[in-house]
Amino acid sequence: MAKDNGIGASVKRREDARFLKGRGRYTDDMNRPGQTYAYILRSWSAHATLNSVDTSAASAADGVVRVFTGKDIEEAGLGGVPCGWEITDKHGNPMKEPAHPILAIGKVRHVGDPIAVVVAESYQQARDAAELIEVDMTDLPAVVDMRTAETIGSAVHDEATDNLCYDWELGDGEATDKAFAEAAHVTTLEFINNRLVANPMEPRCALGDYDEDADHYTLYTTSQNPHVIRLLMGAFVLSIPEHKLRVYAPDVGGGFGTKIFHYAEEAFVTWASAQLKRPVKWTSDRSEAFISDAHGRDHVTKAELAMDAEGKFLALRADTRANMGAYLSTFAPCVPTWLHGTLLAGQYLTPAVHCRVRAMFTNTVPVDAYRGAGRPEATYLLERIINKAAQELGMDQAELRRKNFIRSFPYDTPVALQYDTGDYDATLDAVLEMADYKGFEARKAESAARGKLRGIGLSCYIEACGIAPSSLVGALGARAGLYEAATIRVNPTGSVTVMTGSHSHGQGHETSFAQVVSDALGIPEDQIEIVHGDTDKIPFGMGTYGSRSLAVGGSAIVKAVDKVVAKGKKIAAHLLEAAESDIIFEDGQYKVAGTDKAKAFAEVSLAAYVPHNYPIEEIEPGLEETAFYDPKNFTYPAGSYLCEVEVDPETGKVEIVALSASDDFGNVVNPMIVEGQVHGGLAQGIGQAMLENAAYDEHGQLVSGSYMDYAMPLASDLPSFNVETAEGTPCTHNPLGVKGCGEAGAIGSPPAVVNAVVDALRDYGIDHIDMPVTPLRVWTAIQEASVKQAAE
Amino acid sequence: MSTISITVNGQQKSGTAQGNTLLVDFLRSELKMTGTHVGCDTSQCGACVVHVNGESVKSCTVFASACDGAEVTTIEGMANDDGTLGIVQQAFHEEHGLQCGFCTPGMVMSIADILRNNPQPTEAEIREGLKGNICRCTGYHNIVKAAQSAAATMAGARQAAE
Ligand code: FES
Ligand code: FES
């Protein structure tokens, strides 16, 4: 029977009511007395020398409080926006890391680069005044195409005349070459992993508020990780010590990665509020978001897979160019490297893998982590090339995969990871069953009778989540640790307040974390409050991204609970006049083993705060514990997705008729929330595969810069999904046995969709179409193939 | 600047607005009703949907001045009088039709409107009807289920009344 509370129950979300009644508190809903409004004048040129910025007319305009330019930033001696990860290139040299000023100094490097900020009494006045700013710029040749960036002879940064940030490699190149030389069959695939815009529905917003009397700053911001912002902005940009700076990210309307990063606007409003002695608020509009939120993906790749005569994988080689955009965003350098190259073993026993990545500077918006971050790119590479290989070898796509599955764990991959556990046959079997793979040929014939082409595409993904052991990421270049923190405050009457460093921006932590604590302490969920998002309330936190909240943040909570229980046992032993070693804690009771003597959790809690009868010599009063959990390894969610499409050969229109997903997330705390996460990921993955594309023209103008041109998946574009969470193989190294589910859908689905489309078109001899597989691309591919076939 | 009076969720409210002040800005800034959201600047996302004189309207596409004297219903007015969730809201809660909650006010308002015009929509009709509302979190799967379940609840209530 389905549980109705605790771990494993689909508990309805406690956060829903406030959102459903219009009472969410998002950053833009906050206003401070005396608040001013900032409007940012952004570059309309992709690459230009900034000769002069004349703000005199704007400064004199109605309602204007002050106009700021790069000069003010320079004179104030503010630091640039820092990068949080340093990659060492294949020669042992550090990546190129050019400065990223808060407002452009000397040059603009992408459309959207901030040139000046007008602060005024109203938003309207700030915007009107910005039109009066006179900017004199001399255009420079724009670097847009990564493939020619090295030789184009125009440098985004003087430090990198060839626009190369780093040239990195992973894996055994020699062993890979040797395996290729001996291979019976080699499949090659060249492709583009399209650039995407994360587009959380809540645009970014930042409100800086300086309290002169206390010499204290508060930043309200749309962030997935307020402590990380406090650390980066306080230490590297504004030189504000932590105790003088509060960063508060209240309800956040979706993140998907793009709200991880520290942005110039956050530093600007914080700093400017102290200059003006008034709060300064900036709210992005959607068009501005397109040219100022970090983008995602954007790889150009050549991949090769070497196989023996039976289809056993011998080696994989990948050569990728990854777009960094104009500046290095917070985690950008690690996305195409340690979050991409390391995933290239996939679910398979490929003995040798070699990956080379050249990260390029271009005159485009910075690119950083977006839902999946590197892992979707790796999965797409593998799962597409495997289908192409199956097509070439005339093998069934499921059989070729099965032939190469890893089946014994732990497994050390040739690309630096150790998978702790998994069962890839189980999720593959499940999805084939769910989607009636066997019945496909009959459905294909039925479609054909209606003049439609039916295709089926598989994708078996693995990802590395729960980032990650601090010592490991430190060795790989991270400039921070990646543990998580939690405090359990047991209140005198036995209710519990949990302070977590994870941040919820749609994931429902207030509900699922309470389930975890409820199970561990044996108290009802309504006795538990989850607090997050405020550096003044939470001891510390690294935040939410990389599907890490439950695996890392949840583990920190469990550790803190363990400490609470350990102390509670000491108190209970005293109260029950028993030896501490005889006390067991179960069902919310401290019991003397083997007797019926017991004290309830709340009784022990009360004793801790009213310590009249208390082991005061031995322990302090009070019951509050903090724990930091540093993961021992990544977690490895994995699964199989199967997509079935119908293509109209007359129009090129693709319809997804079914999408089935079987995921192994280890243990599941709240199945309803987990399925919701998969749904959302699937929609974004299908968006990438079929609709979304952040396209630049040769001048560096973002052609798809609003919802008019950037095709967001709509309800009418998507099917209902068939999602099942497998029994699962629990993670072996965290206390909850959980793996993380936030990104899986976006990782696993794009290759499933494209594999299905290519499968539908196989009779034309088509073996690849780049994403997004729009009707135009499909139709064009059909036309070109038909012409070719006719000529043969 | 002129004074605008509207009835919001049954209460008479007034405030000042310029000729080009949008209804959504009037609601959020002037009346401090922040339940209605702004998610785009091209009138496509639907985060701002409210009902004006019973019709579903994107409040980022109408001037506040044009609504002088109108009856406006926002998400803040969708709960029952006793504060419990209304039928559509409750369906969103039951079916996990929301994650970050940012699109939710607009979704609830749009679905209420869809069901008023078509009490028993098919899945395709619901999806078509939601074309003007973007959600980035849920993949729409559970939003569609919420709409279906709200339709069923309303049908049940109608039957019971007959
Ligand atoms: S804000 Fe009105 S449609 Fe987007
Ligand atoms: S719930 Fe987040 S955008 Fe819909």
Side-chain angles (χ1 to χ4, degrees):
Chain A
M1 215 186 79
K3 294 177 67 175
D4 57 8
N5 59 34
I7 291 177
S10 285
V11 176
K12 305 277 180 252
R13 302 197 326 165
R14 55 171 67 183
E15 39 276 88
D16 288 356
R18 69 175 186 271
F19 295 129
L20 284 163
K21 291 178 176 178
R23 296 209 202 119
R25 271 164 59 81
Y26 300 91
T27 307
D28 190 48
D29 300 341
M30 314 253 168
N31 294 293
R32 304 294 300 155
Q35 173 177 306
T36 61
Y37 296 81
Y39 178 86
I40 303 176
L41 177 70
R42 298 183 180 275
S43 176
W44 53 92
S45 170
H47 196 193
T49 310
L50 204 48
N51 303 320
S52 67
V53 184
D54 181 351
T55 60
S56 48
S59 301
D62 262 5
V64 171
V65 179
R66 188 146 356 140
V67 183
F68 296 89
T69 68
K71 221 189 222 120
D72 300 298
I73 302 298
E74 216 172 5
E75 279 167 16
L78 303 187
V81 181
C83 178
W85 202 296
E86 182 179 80
I87 292 297
T88 302
D89 76 6
K90 63 184 190 184
H91 307 294
N93 299 318
M95 66 184 189
K96 300 272 171 48
E97 193 175 355
H100 180 184
I102 293 176
L103 297 177
I105 297 171
K107 234 178 131 175
V108 291
R109 294 185 173 85
H110 66 88
V111 170
D113 214 357
I115 294 174
V117 189
V118 181
V119 180
E121 299 297 339
S122 76
Y123 175 74
Q124 187 79 33
Q125 288 170 323
R127 193 171 60 181
D128 290 348
E131 286 182 21
L132 304 173
I133 297 175
E134 283 182 37
V135 183
D136 181 28
M137 293 196 280
T138 309
D139 278 338
L140 299 165
V143 183
V144 182
D145 188 342
M146 281 190 284
R147 289 164 288 200
T148 53
E150 271 173 276
T151 51
I152 190 172
S154 177
V156 180
H157 296 280
D158 295 342
E159 296 90 327
T161 49
D162 54 2
N163 295 310
L164 188 63
C165 175
Y166 57 75
D167 185 348
W168 174 90
E169 65 179 356
L170 178 68
D172 188 337
E174 249 174 65
T176 305
D177 290 346
K178 194 162 163 281
F180 268 90
E182 291 161 4
H185 186 83
V186 172
T187 295
T188 304
L189 183 68
E190 293 186 47
F191 64 90
I192 290 171
N193 198 293
N194 43 328
R195 179 186 276 243
L196 303 175
V197 182
N199 271 306
M201 291 318 295
E202 176 204 30
R204 285 191 298 120
C205 178
L207 169 57
D209 187 3
Y210 176 66
D211 176 346
E212 195 180 358
D213 298 327
D215 184 28
H216 187 277
Y217 298 79
T218 301
L219 169 66
Y220 304 82
T221 185
T222 48
S223 176
Q224 301 177 214
N225 31 239
H227 282 90
V228 174
I229 303 305
R230 188 182 68 173
L231 181 71
L232 291 173
M233 183 176 84
F236 297 101
V237 190
L238 302 180
S239 304
I240 304 170
E242 280 96 337
H243 67 296
K244 292 288 181 194
L245 175 58
R246 172 188 179 206
V247 179
Y248 178 31
D251 287 329
V252 173
F256 315 116
T258 206
K259 289 176 183 165
I260 299 170
F261 324 122
H262 174 40
Y263 287 96
E265 296 88 355
E266 295 171 316
F268 175 81
V269 297
T270 307
W271 173 74
S273 72
Q275 302 303 300
L276 302 173
K277 310 272 188 293
R278 291 178 65 182
V280 179
K281 183 184 201 175
W282 167 79
T283 306
S284 175
D285 62 31
R286 183 58 60 186
S287 308
E288 190 175 13
F290 270 96
I291 54 171
S292 66
D293 290 5
H295 292 180
R297 318 283 192 260
D298 206 354
H299 286 191
V300 177
T301 296
K302 180 178 179 189
E304 296 160 283
L305 178 62
M307 287 156 286
D308 72 10
E310 271 75 56
K312 279 232 183 254
F313 302 161
L314 302 176
L316 179 82
R317 198 189 272 141
D319 187 354
T320 290
R321 281 173 195 271
N323 208 334
M324 295 286 106
Y327 303 101
L328 292 180
S329 174
T330 310
F331 283 135
C334 84
V335 173
T337 48
W338 299 113
L339 294 178
H340 171 249
T342 49
L343 272 299
L344 289 174
Q347 301 189 353
Y348 314 103
L349 285 163
T350 313
V353 177
H354 182 258
C355 174
R356 177 188 187 191
V357 177
R358 279 168 283 186
M360 311 305 300
F361 291 114
T362 60
N363 293 116
T364 62
V365 172
V367 180
D368 204 328
Y370 164 58
R371 201 170 197 166
R375 290 151 291 166
E377 295 92 318
T379 302
Y380 185 76
L381 185 163
L382 262 179
E383 296 304 299
R384 273 295 299 131
I385 202 167
I386 289 171
N387 262 51
K388 186 162 185 249
Q391 200 174 343
E392 288 172 1
L393 297 172
M395 279 181 71
D396 175 77
Q397 53 185 327
E399 277 325 297
L400 179 57
R401 285 174 170 82
R402 235 190 256 285
K403 215 181 242 298
N404 289 284
F405 273 164
I406 296 161
R407 292 194 174 85
S408 128
F409 298 90
Y411 174 75
D412 289 300
T413 74
V415 274
L417 296 179
Q418 186 186 72
Y419 299 166
D420 59 336
T421 178
D423 183 349
Y424 309 140
D425 289 291
T427 43
L428 177 57
D429 289 344
V431 86
L432 296 180
E433 183 71 31
M434 284 160 70
D436 184 23
Y437 187 66
K438 280 201 209 89
F440 173 71
E441 287 306 326
R443 295 192 295 276
K444 186 180 163 89
E446 189 277 324
S447 296
R450 286 184 286 109
K452 298 283 169 63
L453 306 170
R454 208 175 181 99
I456 194 159
L458 184 63
S459 159
C460 300
Y461 75 91
I462 186 163
E463 54 163 330
C465 289
I467 185 168
S470 292
S471 62
L472 172 67
V473 294
L476 304 183
R479 289 166 170 159
L482 283 169
Y483 47 80
E484 195 49 272
T487 295
I488 305 284
R489 177 176 299 155
V490 182
N491 301 306
T493 58
S495 69
V496 170
T497 309
V498 180
M499 272 69 69
T500 170
S502 298
H503 186 277
S504 187
H505 31 279
Q507 295 87 343
H509 295 168
E510 290 164 41
T511 301
S512 51
F513 286 6
Q515 291 176 249
V516 169
V517 175
S518 166
D519 253 25
L521 291 179
I523 58 173
E525 281 152 20
D526 63 9
Q527 291 294 299
I528 301 160
E529 184 82 359
I530 307 292
V531 180
H532 65 96
D534 187 344
T535 61
D536 266 12
K537 291 187 181 157
I538 319 294
F540 202 73
M542 295 309 295
T544 287
Y545 38 82
S547 308
R548 71 196 294 275
S549 297
L550 194 57
V552 190
S555 296
I557 289 174
V558 171
K559 257 188 94 173
V561 164
D562 289 347
K563 289 188 187 179
V564 164
V565 170
K567 185 169 177 182
K569 280 183 178 172
K570 286 192 168 62
I571 303 168
H574 180 90
L575 296 175
L576 294 164
E577 296 173 341
E580 191 190 325
S581 56
D582 288 339
I583 304 289
I584 51 167
F585 182 69
E586 62 185 18
D587 306 328
Q589 301 267 331
Y590 294 93
K591 300 176 180 165
V592 181
T595 74
D596 58 359
K597 292 207 301 181
K599 285 278 175 195
F601 178 73
E603 289 178 276
V604 169
S605 306
L606 190 65
Y609 288 93
V610 187
H612 297 161
N613 175 19
Y614 196 78
I616 203 90
E617 300 294 324
E618 207 190 318
I619 51 172
E620 298 163 10
L623 195 50
E624 171 167 329
E625 297 288 345
T626 293
F628 282 62
Y629 175 79
D630 202 78
K632 297 179 186 69
N633 188 356
F634 289 90
T635 62
Y636 298 98
S640 284
Y641 291 0
L642 198 59
C643 178
E644 197 162 322
V645 298
E646 208 171 63
V647 178
D648 182 342
E650 300 297 320
T651 61
K653 196 171 174 325
V654 176
E655 190 198 340
I656 296 185
V657 287
L659 204 145
S660 306
S662 170
D663 297 285
D664 175 359
F665 296 133
N667 294 333
V668 169
V669 170
N670 185 318
M672 174 193 80
I673 289 177
V674 165
E675 283 185 17
Q677 289 292 309
V678 176
H679 295 157
L682 291 175
Q684 290 182 8
I686 293 170
Q688 165 160 39
M690 297 182 58
L691 297 159
E692 301 177 38
N693 195 24
Y696 278 93
D697 72 10
E698 72 269 31
H699 308 296
Q701 296 291 330
L702 182 60
V703 183
S704 43
S706 81
Y707 287 160
M708 315 272 265
D709 317 289
Y710 187 92
M712 290 285 280
L714 304 177
S716 50
D717 294 319
L718 299 172
S720 281
F721 307 117
N722 186 8
V723 170
E724 275 180 20
T725 306
E727 183 77 11
T729 54
C731 170
T732 60
H733 55 80
N734 67 42
L736 291 165
V738 295
K739 296 184 179 178
C741 66
E743 296 161 295
I747 292 171
S749 60
V753 173
V754 177
N755 284 343
V757 173
V758 171
D759 182 58
L761 303 177
R762 63 194 308 163
D763 290 345
Y764 291 98
I766 290 168
D767 59 11
H768 181 66
I769 300 178
D770 266 331
M771 301 186 287
V773 286
T774 58
L776 178 65
R777 286 187 181 179
V778 172
W779 184 85
T780 307
I782 292 174
Q783 297 312 306
E784 285 171 357
S786 308
V787 170
K788 215 170 111 197
Q789 278 183 339
E792 275 160 14
Chain B
M1 284 285 183
S2 54
T3 302
I4 313 279
S5 296
I6 53 177
T7 308
V8 188
N9 304 327
Q11 290 189 335
Q12 191 68 32
K13 305 245 178 183
S14 58
T16 56
Q18 289 183 321
N20 62 355
T21 300
L22 299 169
L23 177 58
V24 66
D25 293 328
F26 182 76
L27 290 170
R28 289 182 57 82
S29 303
E30 193 63 21
L31 303 186
K32 309 280 179 246
M33 300 181 69
T34 54
T36 304
H37 295 154
V38 178
C40 75
D41 45 16
T42 50
S43 64
Q44 274 154 320
C45 75
C48 63
V49 171
V50 299
H51 298 170
V52 178
N53 296 330
E55 295 288 321
S56 166
V57 164
K58 287 184 171 169
S59 61
C60 72
T61 61
V62 287
F63 293 127
S65 54
C67 300
D68 200 12
E71 298 250 357
V72 175
T73 308
T74 68
I75 187 69
E76 287 96 337
M78 294 300 279
N80 299 322
D81 290 343
D82 64 358
T84 55
L85 297 177
I87 290 178
V88 178
Q89 292 169 317
Q90 184 65 28
F92 267 74
H93 177 60
E94 297 290 335
E95 300 296 337
H96 186 32
L98 68 158
Q99 291 182 21
C100 79
F102 197 79
C103 72
T104 310
M107 287 288 180
V108 169
M109 300 311 287
S110 286
I111 287 173
D113 186 61
I114 291 170
L115 297 181
R116 190 162 44 208
N117 294 317
N118 179 2
Q120 259 148 6
T122 62
E123 175 175 345
E125 284 168 342
I126 293 167
R127 288 184 178 276
E128 201 59 26
L130 288 176
K131 262 186 153 167
N133 291 75
I134 304 178
C135 174
R136 192 54 150 170
C137 296
T138 63
Y140 306 100
H141 183 104
N142 288 342
I143 291 178
V144 171
K145 278 171 70 178
Q148 289 168 327
S149 121
T153 307
M154 288 175 180
R158 271 194 306 273
Q159 244 176 8
E162 274 162 17

